[in-house]
Amino acid sequence: MRIPGLLDAHVHMRVPGGEHKEDFRSGTAAALAGGFTALLAMPNTLPPLTTPDIWRQTQLRARRQGLCDVYHFAGADADHPDQLLALGRLAPALKLYLDETYNQAPRYTDAVLRRITLLWPRHKVIAIHAEGESISTAIRLAAECSRPVHICHVSRKEDIERISAAKKNGLPLTCEVTPHHLFLTQADAARLGALGNMRPRLADQRDVDALWTHINSTIDCIATDHAPHTLQEKNDPDKSPPGVPGLESALTLMLTAVNQGRIKMERLVELMHTNPYRIYGLPAQPDTWVEIDPTARFTFPEYPLRTKCGWSPFSQMPMQGRLRKVVLRGKTVYADGKLTAS
Ligand code: NCD
Ligand code: ZN
Ligand code: ZN
Ligand code: ZN
């Protein structure tokens, strides 16, 4: 069976400055092994993608080294409106962090947030890391500035319900959930230890249930938040960074959900292809598709992982639904565990 090439609109490729965790070669190899033919990468790099120069250099490196299409968010430096204006002409979308997470500790005042928002092109999406109370701030921004706001990695019942209510009121809001928040709970976090540490944190079963309740309505996309860190970094007792890889497990997890009757195949394609392309306005890829065995069973991972970090919170999980082959612009780039892209 064929489905379109998937777009993951929330990944961390770690270029520049974190290439020991992931680089464009390893990250896009992991993408193809997971059925993703296009990525939209986050700006919380070292240095962050907050100047046109760094953004351009990084985009160029992705073009040279990547095995699939890679786009980049711009980051916002509120003290340099000129740079933000220039980035607004280059990047497909802006990313703002309202809560503390890896490499980000921003404290925007409401006034600064409004200034940033009004400098950004009116039609381009502002994606926001917002949890709990910050979700109200993000929704207020969409309402007061009438800008398209996308809320990243929604994880809790109260949060998805608040977003649902705001969308019903007609606000220009979209949102995504990650496979780890759909398939894991705090109980898994206890079992996984440092490997189960990410932002937002894994939640309760009632939160997971609420996300599945909204899978055919409020939720616009599935994005992996692929956030690789080395095992050595994760196991550091003092400063274990939050984040888990997700590119290679997302499709097979969602196919497993299809087999369990929790979601329809057409909806999977909307959440992982159609909607992210529409939201971010990215160009379609001609002659591009993924071949799957929709009901084949295996234990994850079927082949050695391609992500440089080399681990997954889903190791040893039974899956149903596997990827066979990926064709990008008419060329077979991945087939049965082997990369054939160049
Ligand atoms: C992400 C990372 O490692 O860059 N970590 C995470 O826990 N999700 C940052 C983020 O997306 O918040
Ligand atoms: Zn985040
Ligand atoms: Zn992220
Ligand atoms: Zn399409």
Side-chain angles (χ1 to χ4, degrees):
M1 175 181 185
R2 274 187 192 187
I3 58 174
L6 306 177
L7 163 61
D8 190 347
H10 187 152
V11 299
H12 300 268
M13 288 286 105
R14 306 307 189 197
V15 183
E19 290 88 348
H20 65 288
K21 300 172 192 278
E22 198 79 285
D23 60 29
F24 287 125
R25 188 49 64 119
S26 61
T28 55
L32 293 181
F36 294 99
T37 51
L39 303 174
L40 185 46
M42 287 296 168
N44 64 329
T45 47
L46 286 166
L49 309 184
T50 51
T51 72
D53 280 350
I54 293 165
W55 188 93
R56 263 200 219 93
Q57 283 165 27
T58 308
Q59 187 62 49
L60 195 66
R61 280 171 77 180
R63 256 194 100 83
R64 291 204 177 123
Q65 294 162 8
L67 303 172
C68 68
D69 294 351
V70 183
Y71 301 90
H72 285 91
F73 283 94
D77 179 346
D79 299 328
H80 295 276
D82 50 326
Q83 293 179 344
L84 194 55
L85 278 175
L87 282 165
R89 290 188 284 273
L90 297 169
L94 177 69
K95 176 66 183 286
L96 296 176
Y97 292 87
L98 299 190
D99 298 285
E100 182 111 15
T101 187
Y102 177 67
N103 261 357
Q104 291 290 320
R107 285 284 164 268
Y108 303 117
T109 62
D110 274 9
V112 168
L113 265 184
R114 284 180 69 98
R115 190 159 72 229
I116 291 172
T117 303
L118 294 172
L119 282 169
W120 191 247
R122 173 169 286 280
H123 62 283
K124 285 191 181 180
V125 168
I126 302 179
I128 304 191
H129 176 126
E131 306 178 36
E133 263 319 293
S134 309
I135 300 235
S136 316
T137 308
I139 292 173
R140 224 181 322 121
L141 212 59
E144 289 174 1
C145 305
S146 33
R147 287 297 201 281
V149 165
H150 177 82
I151 300 182
C152 296
H153 46 42
V154 181
S155 64
R156 294 191 178 270
K157 183 172 193 280
E158 289 71 23
D159 295 352
I160 196 68
E161 286 175 355
R162 207 177 312 175
I163 293 166
S164 169
K167 286 178 86 167
K168 281 184 185 144
N169 283 333
L171 291 187
L173 270 186
T174 53
C175 71
E176 74 194 22
V177 293
T178 70
H180 50 267
H181 291 118
L182 285 170
F183 286 89
L184 302 175
T185 66
Q186 266 171 15
D188 297 290
R191 168 178 66 83
L192 289 162
L195 300 189
N197 173 26
M198 77 288 285
R199 299 294 175 274
R201 290 172 208 279
L202 292 175
D204 293 328
Q205 191 59 49
R206 65 186 279 277
D207 298 301
V208 172
D209 293 343
L211 295 182
W212 283 107
T213 300
H214 287 262
I215 200 83
N216 291 321
S217 51
T218 314
I219 295 165
D220 296 281
C221 352
I222 305 249
T224 68
D225 191 9
H226 178 81
H229 300 285
T230 66
L231 275 175
Q232 194 187 347
E233 290 165 336
K234 289 298 275 186
N235 290 324
D236 183 329
D238 302 323
K239 41 182 198 307
S240 177
V244 294
L247 279 168
E248 287 159 277
S249 45
L251 173 58
T252 192
L253 281 166
M254 295 312 296
L255 290 173
T256 302
V258 171
N259 281 296
Q260 294 167 341
R262 298 211 264 174
I263 181 177
K264 293 247 191 306
M265 186 68 88
E266 302 79 72
R267 184 61 181 159
L268 182 158
V269 172
E270 284 173 9
L271 292 168
M272 301 180 83
H273 167 85
T274 323
N275 291 352
Y277 268 104
R278 190 198 62 235
I279 289 167
Y280 290 105
L282 299 176
Q285 299 170 312
D287 300 319
T288 299
W289 68 87
V290 176
E291 283 183 25
I292 54 172
D293 289 330
T295 57
R297 293 177 190 271
F298 67 99
T299 301
F300 187 82
E302 191 178 13
Y303 302 106
L305 292 167
R306 301 265 175 191
T307 173
K308 206 181 263 193
C309 74
W311 59 275
S312 161
F314 299 105
S315 283
Q316 300 311 314
M317 256 181 76
M319 303 281 188
Q320 190 176 10
R322 71 181 280 275
L323 178 148
R324 278 174 51 201
K325 185 169 141 180
V326 180
V327 176
L328 175 56
R329 296 192 180 86
K331 278 194 187 154
T332 299
V333 285
Y334 180 87
D336 295 314
K338 289 197 182 60
L339 272 179
T340 49
S342 49

